[in-house]
Amino acid sequence: MSIILLFVVALSSCKKEEDAETQITKYIQQNNINAVKDPSGLYYQIIKPGSGTTVINSNTNITIKYEGKLLDGTVIDNGGGKENTFLLGGLIKGWVIGIPKIQKGGEIRLIIPPALGYGSRDVGPVPANSVLDFNIQLINAQ
């Protein structure tokens, strides 16, 4: 019985990832987004690269303006519409991977699969297993 349960859990886990990948692919096509897939599974579009040579890593404090949505267009967070400062390492994995792809003054769109976002748990207005679409402007990094 345990082996059957393990097999069902393994299959359902794979299906969720397939579903997220399918959702992302359709979303990108339907919205004409020119996104690149990172080896992590993150999709991103550099809108403006920004300038500078700051090495941005998990120990970097970033000041950003951002808006995050679900794929149905529901806004889940916009930082109150103002600049916010965070330690990059304390944020979701999709941001930790994506934000270093730009520099100060840059802007990036991150389409984040659940495994790099909030995973299989509900977090505030974000349902479990949600794909996230963030537009982030990097104001400063230090």
Side-chain angles (χ1 to χ4, degrees):
M1 186 68 159
S2 295
I3 292 173
I4 293 171
L5 183 59
L6 185 60
F7 181 72
V8 170
V9 169
L11 275 180
S12 65
S13 295
C14 291
K15 185 168 179 7
K16 286 177 188 170
E17 284 305 311
E18 285 177 9
D19 288 345
E21 183 68 23
T22 301
Q23 287 176 43
I24 292 170
T25 303
K26 286 181 182 175
Y27 183 72
I28 286 171
Q29 289 171 347
Q30 290 169 348
N31 293 283
N32 244 357
I33 301 167
N34 186 19
V36 175
K37 184 178 182 183
D38 182 83
S40 66
L42 173 74
Y43 284 80
Y44 66 95
Q45 176 185 26
I46 296 176
I47 298 165
K48 287 192 306 191
S51 61
T53 56
T54 303
V55 175
I56 299 172
N57 59 41
S58 60
N59 295 318
T60 304
N61 281 308
I62 57 166
T63 300
I64 58 173
K65 285 185 80 171
Y66 66 96
E67 180 177 78
K69 301 181 286 189
L70 301 175
L71 296 189
D72 68 4
T74 302
V75 175
I76 55 165
D77 191 5
N78 68 0
K82 58 185 169 81
E83 294 181 5
N84 289 273
T85 300
F86 303 102
L87 178 64
L88 184 58
L91 304 173
I92 60 174
K93 199 167 191 172
W95 282 28
V96 174
I97 295 165
I99 290 175
K101 296 182 182 301
I102 59 173
Q103 287 287 310
K104 182 178 174 179
E107 185 174 350
I108 193 166
R109 184 175 196 172
L110 302 177
I111 301 172
I112 305 172
L116 301 177
Y118 297 109
S120 60
R121 60 194 162 108
D122 293 334
V123 177
V126 181
N129 299 309
S130 291
V131 174
L132 308 173
D133 180 4
F134 278 95
N135 189 320
I136 302 168
Q137 299 170 19
L138 182 58
I139 309 302
N140 199 8
Q142 49 188 10

